[in-house]
């Protein structure tokens, strides 16, 4: 806007600018009667339109309107005095209206933007009355975020002449924010140009607060109705839905949009014909609230319903109580279950007065079993009757104090049974709280922990002994509290591994960080598995970081301590530095060497067994059939030599771990006791035999004959190591999951080199002709094949201790199989003989033919299977286990069993596992070398069993 136009506007609005100051100052001048009338009329109209809700404002508005109308009718009067009186009257009414409606006036003169405010407007701003202020000063009275709005409305009114009406916030002189209604009207001069903007300002802060509070209340009420846990709906007097909350939609499985305005009896016919309608109509008819429960069959739900009648209809609250009904049905089962749990349960009624005690109202079966008191003995009595002279008074005081405060508590307490026996209980007591927040009953559950407490006492007694042992050993001893992770070490962690000030807290993690990264996952997983399982011993080898940063090879072994529930509570063990120990490496190399020797001797023995089968069988035939005494004697000598060769082969196979064994559960104490007389004879008078048996050693699964032979061999070796006599002790013991036989002598002993070769075949320290060197190697092979191990402890001049460890069994002895008394028996059945060795095949076929059988031969399993299909049927298949080709005897037996289930298969082997072979074929296998008698018995028994099986299946 230019200066010229501004000055022109100022000149044009001089007359108009003089009117409103006269109105504000009490209408002292009457020259602006028209403007005053317009302002009065506008304000009056505003009061009428804005406050129609308030009766007193109606009165003010009507009064102002009448006044304005009267002034208009008298506007053309020529009497200035009368006009002035009317203006004064109007001013008084305006002042009353302004104060009552909190309404003030204002005018902005253009173009200088000078503002004049009425007294009420200054009061609304809570500022002292002034004369005039600038537009910029007046704009500051508004809150910062509303100033742009006021400027925009004002500028639009100046530019277009349009009025405005807006609700904004001001900042009063006291700094308080207040809502006001700002009304602006453009006033034109005689030339039609806008000369000023005038209007009203009304304090609407209270109304705004009331409106906001009403909206907030409405919102919170709606949210409450939507979020309450109960379903809620309303029906009008015509039984039509007027409101449903979210929960009602969910339980009724209908959206509210489909139900509002609809008749309930049409939408839910099941409710119309049942008790629901009866209850609803009675509630409306009698004007009383009704409560009931009903099963709504179509929804499969039990509802608990409360209906409230009112003048507008019926308000219904309902909730799903299906689970409660199910709980009621299971209540009896729960009571039965409680009566049968292992822990005792006591329910007491809370005392009505502080001086009264609790009274027992329920006990379960476990209570009777543990305490010996019947329910009638306990009902009506205080639980304190179980306590006695050694019950800890401080503990009972803590329990009583918790009960008095209706708090849950857990404690361990010494109680007494009916017969006076002490027992410890781990007891938990919890209150049952009623609707008023007070405990009505208390439930006490207790577990008998007598055994655990006694174990803790024994453990406490051993703590000092443990500390002494930990100080004396060279291992780094550790004690791990599994529940807290605390680990305590003895001083050897510093002296052996160079770790000072090892933290106790979070000690498990500290130990874990010292494990070599490549070993860490394996070792940590191993110890956690042992702790979480049922193991009592944990053993692991790994690399452990020293204080210098290097790693030591260590052997870490721990014993796991468990509570009565089988949960691991502590673990105590020790870490041993085995870096410089060469014994482990020497044993490893020795084991590799023995394995290679075993494979070689096993292969040789197998082939030799095939030869011995032919030699032994033919020698037996010659001895039986030659009548010439001289030739018969030669044949018998040949037969005897063959049997000795078979024994030698058996020893070689035993060392190789391929000796056919017949393992059975046996009591090692009984087995050794049965040998006592024989051992005494074999040892002679200069050797004192001493037997020490531990009953817990129990049973092992082993070949009884081989076990006796092994013990005899070791005793003979011990005897030879004590040429001047001495003491030989045979003892048994239980070591974890193993049963151990120890044979200890005080003889010559062995050096390290001799110990390393002691179990090698043909190695002996005896003079030539005094031993074959197969005794200890046979023992080694037998123990290893039986799943055990052999340990040798010996030093020159200090004797020798040999320990045989076997996996321990819990089963009892099995009776020994009686020796066969059958005569040589044959038959006429067709037999297929499968053997890759021609001599063994010819011997077996010839023997069977001599017994009357019809025999067909095959050189391997493939040929045998083909023969079965092309030349069958056969009554039995007799086959070797080890044969060339992809199919051995076992695989062939499985194939025959699948396609010819009624065809028996008898297998023969030189070193295979007798048990697994028998499981494959279903019949007892033959061990090479076998005799004609053994062959005849095996064939005949298999044929008889097969026939019996076929007859049974036919029946």
């Amino acid at each position: 806007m230019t200066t010229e136009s501004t000055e022109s506007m100022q000149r044009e609005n001089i007359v108009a600018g003089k009117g409103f100051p006269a109105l504000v100052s009490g209408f002292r001048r009457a020259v602006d009667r028209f403007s005053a009338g317009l302002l009065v009329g506008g304000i009056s109209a505003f009061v009428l339109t804005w406050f129609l809700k308030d009766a007193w404002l109606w009165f003010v508005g009507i009064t102002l309107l009448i006044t304005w109308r009267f002034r208009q009718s008298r506007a053309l009067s020529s009497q200035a005095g009368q006009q002035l009186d009317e203006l004064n009257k109007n001013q008084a009414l305006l002042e009353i209206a302004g104060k009552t409606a909190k309404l003030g006036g204002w005018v902005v003169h253009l173009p200088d933007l000078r503002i004049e405010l009425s007294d009420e407007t200054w009061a609304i701003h809570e500022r002292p009355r002034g004369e005039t202020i600038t537009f910029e000063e007046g704009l500051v009275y508004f809150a910062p975020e509303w100033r742009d709005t006021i400027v925009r409305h004002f500028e639009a009114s100046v530019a277009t002449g349009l009025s405005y009406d807006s609700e904004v916030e001001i900042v009063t002189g006291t700094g308080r924010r207040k809502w006001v209604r700002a009304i602006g009207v453009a006033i034109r001069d005689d030339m039609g140009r806008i000369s000023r903007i005038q209007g009203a300002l009304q304090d609407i802060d209270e109304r705004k607060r009331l409106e906001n509070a009403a909206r907030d209340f409405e919102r919170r009420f709606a949210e409450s109705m939507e979020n309450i846990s109960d379903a809620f709906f309303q029906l009008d007097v015509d039984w039509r839905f007027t409101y449903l909350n979210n929960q009602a939609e969910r339980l009724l499985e209908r959206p509210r949009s489909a139900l509002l305005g609809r008749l309930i009896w049409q939408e839910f016919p099941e409710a119309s014909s049942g008790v629901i309608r009866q209850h609803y109509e009675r509630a409306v008819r009698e004007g009383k609230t009704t409560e009931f429960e009903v099963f709504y069959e179509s929804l499969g739900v039990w509802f608990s319903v409360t209906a409230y009648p009112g003048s507008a209809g019926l308000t219904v609250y309902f909730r799903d109580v299906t689970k409660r009904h199910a709980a009621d049905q299971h209540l009896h089962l729960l009571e039965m279950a409680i009566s049968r749990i292992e822990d005792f349960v006591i329910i007491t009624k809370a005392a009505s007065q502080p001086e009264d005690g609790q009274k027992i109202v329920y006990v379960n079966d476990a209570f009777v079993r543990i305490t010996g008191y019947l329910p009638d003995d306990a009902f009506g009595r205080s639980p304190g009757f179980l306590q006695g002279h050694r019950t800890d008074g401080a503990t009972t005081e803590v329990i009583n104090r918790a009960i008095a405060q209706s708090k849950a508590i857990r404690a361990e307490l010494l109680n007494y049974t009916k017969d006076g026996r002490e027992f410890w209980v781990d007891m938990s007591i919890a209150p049952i709280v009623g609707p008023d927040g007070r405990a009505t009953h208390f439930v006490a559950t207790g577990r008998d922990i007598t055994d655990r407490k006694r174990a803790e006492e024994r453990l406490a007694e051993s703590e000092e002994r443990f500390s002494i042992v930990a100080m004396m050993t060279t291992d780094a001893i550790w004690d791990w509290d599994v529940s807290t992770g605390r680990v305590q070490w003895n001083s050897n962690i510093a002296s052996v591994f160079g770790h000072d000030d090892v933290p106790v807290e979070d000690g498990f993690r500290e130990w874990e960080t010292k494990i070599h990264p490549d070993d860490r996952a394996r070792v940590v997983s191993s110890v956690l598995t042992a702790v979480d399982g049922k193991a009592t011993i944990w053993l692991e080898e790994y690399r452990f970081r020293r204080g210098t940063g290097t790693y030591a090879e260590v052997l870490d072994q721990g014993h796991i301590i468990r509570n009565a529930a089988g949960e691991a509570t502590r673990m105590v063990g020790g870490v041993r530095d085995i870096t410089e120990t060469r014994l482990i490496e020497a044993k490893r190399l020795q084991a590799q060497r023995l394995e290679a020797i075993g494979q070689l001797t096993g292969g040789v023995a197998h082939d030799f067994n095939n030869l011995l089968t032919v030699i032994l069988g033919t020698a037996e035939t010659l001895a039986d059939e030659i009548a010439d005494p001289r030739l018969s004697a030669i044949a018998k000598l040949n037969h005897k030599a063959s049997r000795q060769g078979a024994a030698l082969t058996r020893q070689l196979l035993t060392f190789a771990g391929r000796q056919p064994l017949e393992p059975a559960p046996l009591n090692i104490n009984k087995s050794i006791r049965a040998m006592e007389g024989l051992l005494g004879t074999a040892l002679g008078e200069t050797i004192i035999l001493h037997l020490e048996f531990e009953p817990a050693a129990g049973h092992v699964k082993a070949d009884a004959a081989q076990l006796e032979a092994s013990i005899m061999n070791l005793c003979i070796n011990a005897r030879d190591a004590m040429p001047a006599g001495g003491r030989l002790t045979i003892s048994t013991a239980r070591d974890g999951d193993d049963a151990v036989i120890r044979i200890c002598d005080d003889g010559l002993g062995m050096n390290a080199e001799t110990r390393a070769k002691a179990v090698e075949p043909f190695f002996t320290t005896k003079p030539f002709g005094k031993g074959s060197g197969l005794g200890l190697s046979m023992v080694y092979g037998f123990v290893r094949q039986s799943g055990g191990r052999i340990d040798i402890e010996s030093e020159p001049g200090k004797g020798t201790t040999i320990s045989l460890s076997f996996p321990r069994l819990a089963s009892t002895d099995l009776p020994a199989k009686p020796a066969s008394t059958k005569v040589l028996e044959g038959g006429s059945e067709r037999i297929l003989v499968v053997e890759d060795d021609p001599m063994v095949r010819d011997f077996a076929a010839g023997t069977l033919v001599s017994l009357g059988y019809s025999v067909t031969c095959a050189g391997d399993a493939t040929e045998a299977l083909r023969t079965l299909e092309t030349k069958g049927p056969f009554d039995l298949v007799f086959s070797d286990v080890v044969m060339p080709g992809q199919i051995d005897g076992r695989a062939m037996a499985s194939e025959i069993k699948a396609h010819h289930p009624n065809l028996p298969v008898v297998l023969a082997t030189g070193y295979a596992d007798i048990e697994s072979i028998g499981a494959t074929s279903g019949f007892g296998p033959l061990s090479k070398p076998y005799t004609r008698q053994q062959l005849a018995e095996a064939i005949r028994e298999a044929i008889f069993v097969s026939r019996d099986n076929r007859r049974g299946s036919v029946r």
Side-chain angles (χ1 to χ4, degrees):
M1 182 180 293
T2 61
T3 304
E4 291 79 6
S5 62
T6 301
E7 293 176 351
S8 174
M9 183 176 293
Q10 290 175 347
R11 289 192 300 270
E12 292 170 351
N13 292 318
I14 290 175
V15 176
K18 295 179 180 179
F20 191 73
L23 175 65
V24 175
S25 64
F27 298 97
R28 291 187 298 270
R29 293 176 297 175
V31 294
D32 199 13
R33 292 188 300 273
F34 174 77
S35 297
L38 180 61
L39 179 60
V40 172
I43 294 175
S44 300
F46 162 73
V47 172
L48 282 174
T49 57
W50 186 256
F51 289 99
L52 293 180
K53 296 183 290 183
D54 299 309
W56 62 272
L57 291 178
W58 271 83
F59 173 78
V60 174
I62 291 172
T63 302
L64 292 176
L65 181 60
I66 293 173
T67 302
W68 178 73
R69 290 296 186 184
F70 178 76
R71 183 191 183 286
Q72 289 293 91
S73 64
R74 305 285 293 175
L76 300 177
S77 175
S78 60
Q79 298 298 325
Q82 295 177 353
Q83 292 173 348
L84 184 59
D85 291 339
E86 293 297 328
L87 285 175
N88 291 334
K89 293 178 181 179
N90 289 341
Q91 180 181 2
L93 290 174
L94 280 174
E95 291 176 354
I96 294 172
K99 293 180 179 178
T100 304
K102 297 183 179 180
L103 182 69
W106 55 268
V107 62
V108 179
H109 298 279
L110 301 177
D112 57 357
L113 299 180
R114 180 171 49 82
I115 302 176
E116 293 187 25
L117 305 178
S118 68
D119 291 345
E120 186 60 32
T121 304
W122 284 110
I124 292 173
H125 283 293
E126 297 180 5
R127 299 177 185 272
R129 189 183 185 289
E131 292 299 327
T132 63
I133 58 176
T134 66
F135 183 82
E136 293 299 329
E137 292 172 337
L139 189 62
V140 174
Y141 293 171
F142 291 91
E145 65 269 24
W146 293 104
R147 293 171 186 170
D148 290 342
T149 301
I150 292 298
V151 170
R152 186 170 62 254
H153 286 322
F154 180 81
E155 291 179 347
S157 182
V158 170
T160 64
L162 296 176
S163 61
Y164 63 88
D165 186 342
S166 179
E167 294 181 356
V168 296
E169 285 185 288
I170 63 173
V171 179
T172 69
T174 61
R176 185 166 63 92
R177 296 176 72 94
K178 181 188 295 185
W179 279 97
V180 298
R181 182 181 182 189
I183 302 173
V185 179
I187 304 300
R188 300 180 183 272
D189 57 14
D190 296 339
M191 303 297 295
R193 289 173 296 189
I194 298 173
S195 61
R196 64 183 180 273
I197 305 296
Q198 64 185 37
L201 189 73
Q202 183 185 16
D203 183 348
I204 61 171
D205 195 59
E206 183 177 358
R207 177 178 63 82
K208 275 287 189 178
R209 287 199 302 271
L210 292 175
E211 288 177 353
N212 291 336
R215 282 195 296 269
D216 183 62
F217 175 77
E218 182 179 358
R219 176 184 57 78
R220 286 188 285 110
F221 178 77
E223 289 178 352
S224 298
M225 289 297 99
E226 293 299 325
N227 296 322
I228 60 175
S229 59
D230 287 354
F232 166 79
F233 66 80
Q234 289 180 315
L235 302 171
D236 61 17
V237 294
D238 295 325
W239 303 103
R240 297 182 183 277
F241 286 101
T242 59
Y243 176 78
L244 298 93
N245 68 350
N246 289 332
Q247 189 72 350
E249 288 184 301
R250 188 184 69 80
L251 293 183
L252 296 177
E253 299 180 359
R254 298 281 295 278
R256 70 183 72 184
S257 59
L259 294 177
L260 291 176
R262 307 299 296 272
L263 188 64
I264 183 174
W265 313 128
Q266 292 179 352
E267 297 301 320
F268 299 95
E270 184 177 340
S272 174
S273 59
V275 297
I276 297 177
R277 184 165 186 166
Q278 297 175 10
H279 282 286
Y280 286 0
E281 289 180 344
R282 184 170 67 250
V284 172
R285 183 173 60 252
E286 298 177 358
K288 295 180 180 180
T289 299
T290 182
E291 298 182 9
F292 61 95
E293 291 188 357
V294 63
F295 181 71
Y296 205 86
E297 188 172 357
S298 61
L299 297 177
V301 177
W302 278 93
F303 287 127
S304 175
V305 184
T306 304
Y308 301 92
S311 59
L314 193 67
T315 300
V316 179
Y317 289 86
F318 64 102
R319 62 182 181 274
D320 185 348
V321 293
T322 307
K323 292 183 178 179
R324 195 199 71 199
H325 275 265
D328 292 341
Q329 295 175 2
H330 291 296
L331 182 58
H332 179 66
L333 292 176
L334 179 60
E335 292 176 350
M336 295 295 292
I338 291 176
S339 69
R340 285 166 172 77
I341 61 176
E342 292 297 321
D343 295 349
F344 73 70
V345 177
I346 303 175
I347 300 179
T348 60
K349 184 177 181 180
S352 57
Q353 298 296 331
E355 61 273 10
D356 297 333
Q358 301 177 73
K359 304 298 182 185
I360 296 175
V361 296
Y362 173 84
V363 295
N364 68 343
D365 293 349
F367 173 87
V368 177
R369 175 175 50 79
I370 294 173
T371 68
Y373 288 101
L374 297 175
D376 290 341
D377 298 332
F379 289 161
R381 302 177 69 178
S382 168
F385 83 93
L386 296 172
Q387 300 166 13
H389 66 281
R390 287 209 328 125
T391 303
D392 183 44
T395 303
T396 58
E397 179 62 27
V398 171
I399 294 174
N400 292 335
R401 190 160 52 248
I403 291 175
Q405 298 174 359
S406 298
K407 293 183 178 179
I409 187 172
R410 180 174 181 177
E412 294 181 357
L413 196 65
L414 180 66
N415 284 340
Y416 289 82
T417 63
K418 189 174 183 178
D419 59 6
R421 179 176 52 85
E422 293 182 348
F423 70 98
W424 280 92
V425 290
D426 181 0
M427 185 166 54
S428 295
I429 304 175
I432 299 176
V433 180
D436 60 354
R438 300 176 59 187
T440 61
H441 295 78
F442 289 89
V443 178
T445 59
R447 174 168 299 178
D448 188 342
I449 58 169
T450 305
D451 292 340
R452 193 198 78 190
K453 294 294 287 186
R454 290 174 180 170
E456 289 176 354
E457 292 173 359
R458 291 193 296 270
L459 181 63
E461 292 174 358
S462 66
E463 287 292 341
E464 185 176 358
R465 292 196 299 271
F466 169 77
S467 300
I468 295 173
V469 172
M471 293 175 58
M472 298 299 294
T473 183
T474 58
D475 293 351
I477 304 299
W478 47 265
D479 185 348
W480 173 31
D481 187 326
V482 177
S483 61
T484 64
R486 292 168 54 92
V487 178
Q488 293 181 319
W489 296 82
N490 71 342
S491 59
N492 289 345
I493 189 67
S495 60
V496 177
F497 295 103
H499 292 294
D500 297 322
D501 299 327
V502 178
V504 174
E505 302 297 334
D506 202 17
F508 182 87
R509 298 300 175 195
E510 185 68 23
W511 164 76
E512 182 180 346
T513 61
K514 291 180 172 59
I515 302 174
H516 193 282
D518 295 341
D519 301 338
R520 188 174 300 152
R522 170 180 58 85
V523 176
V524 172
S525 175
S526 171
V527 70
L528 293 180
T529 299
V531 167
D532 293 339
K534 297 182 179 180
T536 57
I537 298 295
W538 171 76
L539 179 68
E540 199 64 65
E541 292 186 16
Y542 57 90
R543 287 166 288 182
F544 187 73
R545 178 166 49 83
R546 299 187 180 96
T548 58
T550 61
Y551 284 91
E553 293 283 344
V554 298
L555 174 65
D556 199 346
Q557 180 173 355
H559 178 77
I560 303 172
I561 301 172
R562 301 184 181 276
N563 58 21
E567 301 169 340
T569 58
R570 290 178 62 194
M571 191 169 177
V572 180
V575 180
R576 178 177 301 173
D577 188 345
I578 59 172
T579 307
E580 304 300 327
T581 304
R582 298 181 179 180
L583 180 60
I584 300 299
E585 181 64 21
K587 287 185 177 181
R588 184 181 66 82
L589 295 175
Q590 180 190 27
Q592 291 178 346
R593 184 168 62 254
L594 291 176
E595 181 65 23
I597 296 173
Q599 292 178 358
L600 175 63
T601 55
V604 172
H606 173 264
D607 294 339
F608 193 36
N609 260 339
N610 283 337
L611 296 175
L612 285 175
T613 300
V614 178
I615 296 172
L616 186 61
T618 55
E620 183 183 20
T621 302
L622 290 174
D624 292 342
E625 297 183 3
I626 294 177
D628 187 325
R630 186 178 62 82
L631 295 177
S632 177
I634 294 174
K636 289 180 180 179
L637 181 62
N638 186 20
H639 183 261
K640 182 178 180 180
S642 300
R643 291 176 61 186
Q644 291 180 350
L648 178 62
T649 306
R650 186 179 181 88
Q651 289 181 316
L652 290 173
L653 285 172
T654 300
F655 166 75
R658 298 179 179 183
Q659 166 62 31
L661 302 178
E662 297 181 4
L666 56 90
N667 186 301
I668 60 174
N669 291 341
K670 290 183 178 180
S671 298
I672 298 173
R673 178 68 71 185
M675 296 177 63
E676 185 175 8
L678 180 62
L679 290 172
T681 303
L683 294 174
E685 297 180 355
T686 61
I687 305 298
I688 300 174
L689 177 63
H690 182 64
L691 302 180
E692 296 178 356
F693 297 132
E694 181 179 325
H699 296 73
V700 299
K701 191 172 185 180
D703 187 310
Q706 287 294 320
L707 179 62
E708 292 176 1
S710 297
I711 294 174
M712 181 61 73
N713 251 311
L714 296 176
C715 289
I716 294 300
N717 286 345
R719 180 199 65 186
D720 294 342
M722 297 183 289
R727 180 183 178 90
L728 176 64
T729 301
I730 303 177
S731 63
T732 61
R734 178 179 177 180
D735 183 9
D737 294 332
D738 289 342
V740 182
I741 302 173
R742 292 189 178 92
I743 299 175
C744 180
D745 66 63
D746 52 5
L748 300 175
M750 295 181 282
N751 57 26
E753 183 179 358
T754 303
R755 286 199 309 270
K757 297 180 179 181
V759 297
E760 292 185 8
F762 308 113
F763 174 80
T764 180
T765 58
K766 298 177 181 179
F768 179 76
K770 294 292 185 180
S772 64
L774 289 174
L776 195 54
S777 62
M778 182 273 291
V779 176
Y780 167 80
F782 158 68
V783 173
R784 187 182 63 170
Q785 191 175 353
S786 300
R789 68 180 187 276
I790 181 171
D791 296 306
I792 302 175
E793 299 178 17
S794 182
E795 291 185 20
K798 295 185 179 180
T800 300
T801 298
I802 297 180
S803 300
L804 309 181
S805 300
F806 299 90
R808 184 177 173 275
L809 297 179
S811 59
T812 58
D813 294 347
L814 291 179
K817 187 176 180 180
S820 175
T821 58
K822 296 180 180 179
V823 297
L824 197 63
E825 183 181 359
S828 60
E829 288 83 3
R830 292 194 67 198
I831 298 178
L832 176 60
V833 176
V834 187
E835 173 62 63
D836 64 299
D837 190 302
M839 288 189 298
V840 178
R841 184 171 63 243
D842 291 344
F843 163 70
T847 300
L848 293 174
V849 168
S850 68
L851 294 173
Y853 295 106
S854 175
V855 177
T856 301
C857 295
D860 55 42
T862 303
E863 182 184 352
L865 293 174
R866 186 167 56 249
T867 301
L868 282 175
E869 300 300 328
T870 58
K871 298 182 180 181
F874 289 91
D875 298 295
L876 182 139
V877 176
F878 176 63
S879 174
D880 189 16
V881 172
V882 179
M883 291 184 294
Q886 296 181 348
I887 305 177
D888 63 2
R890 292 194 200 188
M892 183 191 70
S894 299
E895 185 76 15
I896 293 173
K897 189 174 181 180
H899 293 86
H900 305 279
N902 295 323
L903 180 59
V905 179
V906 176
L907 298 176
T909 180
Y911 54 68
D913 184 356
I914 293 294
E915 282 190 309
S916 61
I917 292 173
T920 301
S921 66
F923 299 98
L926 272 178
S927 175
K928 291 182 179 180
Y930 50 81
T931 65
R932 295 173 69 242
Q933 179 73 33
Q934 292 170 330
L935 177 60
E937 290 178 355
I939 296 298
R940 205 68 238 157
E941 181 182 1
I943 291 175
F944 285 151
V945 172
S946 178
R947 285 177 180 173
D948 290 343
N949 292 340
R950 285 199 296 272
R951 290 171 185 165
S953 63
V954 170
R955 289 196 296 267

